[in-house]
Amino acid sequence: MAENHEIYDVTIIGGGPIGLFTAFYCGMRELKTKVIEFLPRLGGKVSLFFPEKIIRDIGGIPGIAGKQLIEQLKEQAATFDPDIVLNQRVAGFERLSDGTIVLTGSKGEKHYTRTVILACGMGTLEVNEFDSEDATRYAGKNLHYGVEKLDAFKGKRVVISGGGDTAVDWANELEPIAASVTVVHRREEFGGMESSVTKMKRSAVRVLTPYRLEQLRGDEERIQSVTVCHTVSGQREDLEVDELIINHGFKIDLGPMKEWGLEIEEGRVKADRHMRTNLPGVFVAGDAAFYESKLRLIAGGFTEGPTAVNSAKAYVDPKAENMAMYSTHHKKLVHK
């Protein structure tokens, strides 16, 4: 029975930015909290793929590197000492007769909780690698699927394949320090923020559209040049390269959670305005959530997390206040 195990008020699945801030707010509501993260470290895809990316769309922060944001969120989350479980994927979901939820890890680990908040993004992440045997040979050498340290590209001829928000941001960040930056994108339109795309096109970045990356050439150790192909005319061009960055998106999968009975739409978990899912005691926040007028920004998730926590608090204690006291008045935070 559940009473023979430690039971948490809230278990957050996902230790990215939204999961970390949600854990902090759980402490504000005096909820016993556990965070379970699939990766071996906290930070989610920001820590994994974008540690050097400058994030500029969080209120009150003109600009902050991804890794710095994660460090500050980790410090903030630690304020109320949540339990952290790393390198574990949650697979099973069961509800006991007393209402306790049992989450089972992929290796059989058991976690007992009164409520669950899904802050897992759209599930586990895997980069879309370039489909070539050569890509496997050069990965980790001068073929990159992320930018961990900007200084590693200083004075280098950089080619970026991709046209999403991240590819555009990398181009803008690298342009001032690289010898040259060329962006290759298979469509005329870019998926980045309008202002970022405009900045890139007005800079010294060379933009090749609509082109696709076709072939890598080099020795056993490093890529020396790449061939790109115009998607309409078939015209080819060889580009000399010191560093190649590929940003062709991610494979994202909710995995076993799709079997829990959650209502899914467009690959995300449907939520109401209280961040409640169709399963009692299960809430959602961040990229995992789907609802009308969804704001797909970290700033939006920072609102959804506390909303989910307030709903979880009401589920655990129907007589509780609707929200926590302001942080300026919280006894533990005032003391700090």
Side-chain angles (χ1 to χ4, degrees):
M1 294 295 292
E3 58 266 28
N4 295 327
H5 303 271
E6 188 172 14
I7 302 175
Y8 288 77
D9 295 316
V10 177
T11 296
I12 300 167
I13 301 178
I18 309 310
L20 289 170
F21 187 65
T22 301
F24 166 76
Y25 198 78
C26 281
M28 293 277 290
R29 299 305 319 258
E30 297 186 338
L31 293 165
K32 184 176 178 59
T33 306
K34 177 186 286 187
V35 178
I36 304 176
E37 168 56 48
F38 171 71
L39 296 172
R41 62 178 182 268
L42 294 168
K45 66 181 180 182
V46 173
S47 179
L48 188 62
F49 300 119
F50 318 127
E52 293 282 347
K53 179 178 176 180
I54 303 301
I55 299 168
R56 307 182 192 276
D57 48 20
I58 299 174
I61 303 177
I64 186 171
K67 61 183 178 182
Q68 184 182 357
L69 175 65
I70 294 304
E71 288 304 312
Q72 293 183 185
L73 283 164
K74 285 162 62 177
E75 179 182 350
Q76 186 180 40
T79 303
F80 298 99
D81 301 315
D83 285 344
I84 306 292
V85 177
L86 299 176
N87 206 26
Q88 189 170 135
R89 184 177 190 175
V90 177
F93 177 96
E94 177 188 3
R95 195 184 303 274
L96 302 182
S97 58
D98 64 357
T100 301
I101 296 169
V102 184
L103 301 174
T104 304
S106 55
K107 296 181 181 179
E109 307 90 341
K110 299 290 185 181
H111 306 275
Y112 294 79
T113 186
R114 294 182 175 88
T115 66
V116 174
I117 297 178
L118 305 175
C120 51
M122 292 176 68
T124 56
L125 292 168
E126 183 180 349
V127 296
N128 288 324
E129 298 181 356
F130 184 58
D131 187 14
S132 164
E133 291 183 6
D134 291 333
T136 303
R137 182 199 319 168
Y138 295 123
K141 296 175 182 176
N142 67 334
L143 187 158
H144 314 272
Y145 292 101
V147 175
E148 292 191 7
K149 294 183 179 179
L150 289 173
D151 286 346
F153 299 85
K154 188 174 183 179
K156 303 292 184 66
R157 296 167 298 180
V158 180
V159 172
I160 300 173
S161 178
D165 185 60
T166 301
V168 173
D169 284 346
W170 282 337
N172 286 330
E173 295 294 335
L174 291 171
E175 188 272 333
I177 65 171
S180 66
V181 177
T182 302
V183 174
V184 180
H185 183 39
R186 59 192 174 92
R187 289 193 290 267
E188 294 285 359
E189 300 79 17
F190 284 84
M193 295 286 288
E194 293 92 336
S195 59
S196 298
V197 174
T198 299
K199 178 181 178 181
M200 177 184 70
K201 289 183 175 180
R202 289 178 177 174
S203 73
V205 173
R206 185 187 182 197
V207 177
L208 293 178
T209 59
Y211 278 81
R212 61 180 175 83
L213 184 65
E214 184 175 78
Q215 189 174 1
L216 315 180
R217 291 188 176 87
D219 55 25
E220 291 300 314
E221 292 299 320
R222 298 179 65 80
I223 302 167
Q224 296 169 339
S225 69
V226 300
T227 299
V228 298
C229 178
H230 195 281
T231 61
V232 178
S233 69
Q235 178 181 342
R236 289 171 172 77
E237 182 177 346
D238 293 332
L239 307 173
E240 293 185 346
V241 61
D242 297 314
E243 306 290 341
L244 172 64
I245 302 170
I246 295 179
N247 179 235
H248 294 173
F250 308 96
K251 300 170 187 173
I252 308 177
D253 187 7
L254 287 172
M257 280 188 273
K258 292 186 292 187
E259 309 302 321
W260 293 2
L262 292 161
E263 290 186 15
I264 307 293
E265 189 160 339
E266 296 186 10
R268 302 168 192 262
V269 180
K270 289 186 68 174
D272 65 11
R273 64 190 182 91
H274 300 287
M275 307 315 297
R276 296 177 299 206
T277 73
N278 63 301
L279 298 182
V282 180
F283 310 91
V284 63
D287 283 346
F290 177 89
Y291 56 91
E292 189 176 353
S293 301
K294 163 76 175 176
L295 179 64
R296 295 184 181 179
L297 293 174
I298 289 176
F302 285 166
T303 297
E304 294 167 358
T307 301
V309 173
N310 288 334
S311 294
K313 179 72 173 183
Y315 184 86
V316 171
D317 180 7
K319 296 181 180 179
E321 296 291 334
N322 291 331
M323 61 176 284
M325 68 180 72
Y326 297 112
S327 60
T328 50
H329 296 86
H330 195 286
K331 57 185 178 182
K332 187 165 186 176
L333 300 179
V334 168
H335 177 70
K336 287 173 70 68

